[in-house]
Amino acid sequence: MTEAATFLATARRVIEIEAEALRRLAGALGESFSAAIGLILAARGRVVVSGMGKSGHVGRKIAATLASTGTPAQFVHPAEASHGDLGMITEGDVLLVLSNSGETPELSDIIAHSRRFSIPLIGVASRAGSTLLRQADVAITLPPAEEACGTGIVPTTSTTMTLALGDALAVALMEHRHFTPEHFRTFHPGGKLGARLLRVADLMHGAEALPLVGRDTPMGEALVVMSQKGFGVVGVTDAGGRLVGIVTDGDLRRHMAGLLERRAGEVMTRDPKTIAPDQVAERALAIMREKRITCLFVTDRAGDGRALGILNIHDCLRAGVV
């Protein structure tokens, strides 16, 4: 076997071991998981996650996932807790403490603090009779599973199970609270995820920027409006102010002969493609790419069809919508 083949074989073995452990975890979940959800929902404060070493790294991710999906959460390092950070944990909170062995000595002060002030404690560990799970109000025991390292000493499978358990808690809470993409955008306005959830209304140019003319507007005047507004198009409205057409560069070329003797209603393309302000900007970009256009008028489809704004493809690209 070549060295490259050996690497691949090792990688596949690790992933298969951890995948099997996750299947065991899914089958092992029961009343304690539901009880943990109940404690979190009943808490007036935050979910305070804590763990030492690799469990601590996993705990930070769990706290971040909870916080971004509608469950206020923070991570408190157990060593720092013993030197003043216990003050971050209040009686309205609920503790989620992670430890593979359940005997991590650095957790003793946090556990004692939770018992002293009757702070609900959810313990997650692999040993049912461990100190952590004996002291916990809700004990979640990870099922027996071998570590993927082969020696049994490097936290691999155990941390994968703990991470998946944290995701399961977060998603169960999220679904119970009917957490929507709009809620998620509130907590995650930056980066690719935030860009994907931007609404058309967030990016469109408002009414003052709209290039609009009436049906009977001479094309000479329409061209001036098109040039002044800088979008390369002009919308055409009827007597009631509803958007009924659009004049683009293509329309100008098709009506080049005698263009200045015509009116906007004669040159326009009828029933232009539009989008509603509450649509995600990603959808608007997809339409512009599909139709090979650079602008979309934004209209209130539930209203009277008036133009509310205009969106340019470059507005989407600058915002990171791709």
Side-chain angles (χ1 to χ4, degrees):
M1 182 180 292
T2 66
E3 187 175 57
T6 301
F7 292 154
L8 284 173
T10 299
R12 290 180 178 129
R13 185 188 74 244
V14 168
I15 292 170
E16 287 169 2
I17 290 172
E18 295 193 357
E20 174 58 29
L22 291 178
R23 283 189 284 271
R24 292 185 187 179
L25 174 62
L29 293 179
E31 292 182 3
S32 61
F33 182 86
S34 299
I37 294 290
L39 278 185
I40 294 171
L41 290 173
R44 302 187 311 276
R46 298 175 178 270
V47 177
V48 179
V49 187
S50 191
M52 194 69 190
K54 302 299 186 294
S55 292
H57 295 305
V58 171
R60 290 181 188 276
K61 191 274 180 186
I62 293 174
T65 300
L66 288 168
S68 68
T69 53
T71 300
Q74 68 182 51
F75 178 82
V76 172
H77 194 286
E80 298 297 335
S82 300
H83 294 274
D85 284 1
L86 283 174
M88 296 181 178
I89 307 169
T90 69
E91 293 182 25
D93 295 332
V94 57
L95 272 163
L96 174 62
V97 178
L98 316 173
S99 170
N100 185 36
S101 68
E103 301 293 347
T104 307
E106 291 88 351
L107 295 175
S108 59
D109 286 339
I110 279 186
I111 294 172
H113 183 76
S114 74
R115 304 303 81 188
R116 183 178 304 119
F117 294 100
S118 300
I119 298 170
L121 172 62
I122 302 166
V124 178
S126 297
R127 299 179 185 176
S130 62
T131 300
L132 172 60
L133 296 192
R134 283 189 286 105
Q135 292 291 329
D137 297 291
V138 172
I140 299 178
T141 307
L142 300 176
E146 65 173 311
E147 297 289 9
C149 64
T151 63
I153 59 173
V154 180
T156 47
T157 305
S158 57
T159 51
T160 298
M161 285 194 292
T162 306
L163 188 63
L165 178 65
D167 287 341
L169 287 168
V171 174
L173 290 162
M174 174 178 157
E175 291 182 356
H176 175 82
R177 292 183 168 124
H178 304 291
F179 193 82
T180 66
E182 183 61 30
H183 293 133
F184 185 81
R185 187 170 75 88
T186 301
F187 301 125
H188 199 298
K192 176 60 179 173
L193 288 174
R196 287 185 60 191
L197 296 170
L198 283 171
R199 301 287 178 182
V200 169
D202 298 324
L203 298 178
M204 73 181 191
H205 301 267
E208 71 285 349
L210 285 173
L212 294 175
V213 297
R215 282 179 186 269
D216 295 328
T217 302
M219 276 306 301
E221 295 180 22
L223 288 172
V224 171
V225 173
M226 182 185 293
S227 177
Q228 288 176 338
K229 298 297 185 178
F231 291 100
V233 299
V234 65
V236 182
T237 59
D238 63 12
R242 292 179 292 272
L243 185 73
V244 294
I246 187 173
V247 178
T248 67
D249 288 340
D251 295 313
L252 298 181
R253 289 192 296 271
R254 284 187 289 272
H255 297 86
M256 188 64 70
L259 177 66
L260 296 181
E261 282 73 46
R262 298 176 183 270
R263 300 195 177 268
E266 302 173 71
V267 177
M268 72 182 187
T269 296
R270 296 178 181 276
D271 300 319
K273 192 71 178 177
T274 61
I275 194 163
D278 60 350
Q279 291 289 302
V280 291
E282 194 173 47
R283 173 60 181 155
L285 181 62
I287 292 172
M288 286 188 273
R289 284 175 168 166
E290 177 189 352
K291 301 297 182 182
R292 297 184 178 181
I293 57 180
T294 59
C295 288
L296 275 178
F297 277 95
V298 183
T299 58
D300 183 3
R301 292 175 185 167
D304 57 10
R306 291 176 180 268
L308 303 176
I310 188 169
L311 183 66
N312 187 282
I313 192 169
H314 298 298
D315 299 321
C316 297
L317 298 178
R318 278 193 296 269
V321 182
V322 294

